[in-house]
Amino acid sequence: ACLGYWTIDLKTRKVVWSKGLYALLGMSETLHKPQVATQLDIYQPEDRAGVISHFQRAVNLGEDFDFELRIIRRRDKATRLIRTKGGVE
């Protein structure tokens, strides 16, 4: 299993990805700088509405999230099923 994480500072909108997330996504830390505006691009298009719904509930209601979705690896364009868990601090 490949483990990774990301954070978004809701005030500054700064996005940080862990080395594990870069590896999971098949992306280079030096070539890709994540941004809020493009954060959804890593997910399968059909899964994006669900991702938005989970994240909005986390931000608006303080709910934790735990769900599965598909990501698109940049290097080989492969689709992978992943589990994502998190919440808002």
Side-chain angles (χ1 to χ4, degrees):
C2 192
L3 299 175
Y5 67 87
W6 55 264
T7 62
I8 297 175
D9 183 313
L10 297 176
K11 289 182 183 173
T12 66
R13 300 180 62 83
K14 181 180 178 184
V15 181
V16 176
W17 288 358
S18 69
K19 291 180 185 286
L21 186 58
Y22 278 103
L24 183 67
L25 297 172
M27 300 172 85
S28 165
E29 291 180 65
T30 57
L31 298 177
H32 181 79
K33 299 298 178 207
Q35 299 175 1
V36 169
T38 58
Q39 184 74 9
L40 286 176
D41 293 350
I42 64 175
Y43 304 112
Q44 189 73 14
E46 296 84 8
D47 293 346
R48 292 176 187 168
V51 171
I52 290 169
S53 176
H54 284 290
F55 294 164
Q56 283 181 333
R57 282 197 311 271
V59 171
N60 295 334
L61 304 174
E63 293 181 5
D64 290 345
F65 51 86
D66 183 353
F67 60 99
E68 289 187 342
L69 70 156
R70 296 166 294 168
I71 60 164
I72 304 166
R73 285 179 50 88
R74 292 287 168 88
R75 188 176 305 136
D76 57 11
K77 303 297 185 207
T79 300
R80 301 278 191 264
L81 182 67
I82 65 166
R83 179 180 180 195
T84 185
K85 288 178 66 169
V88 177
E89 289 184 3

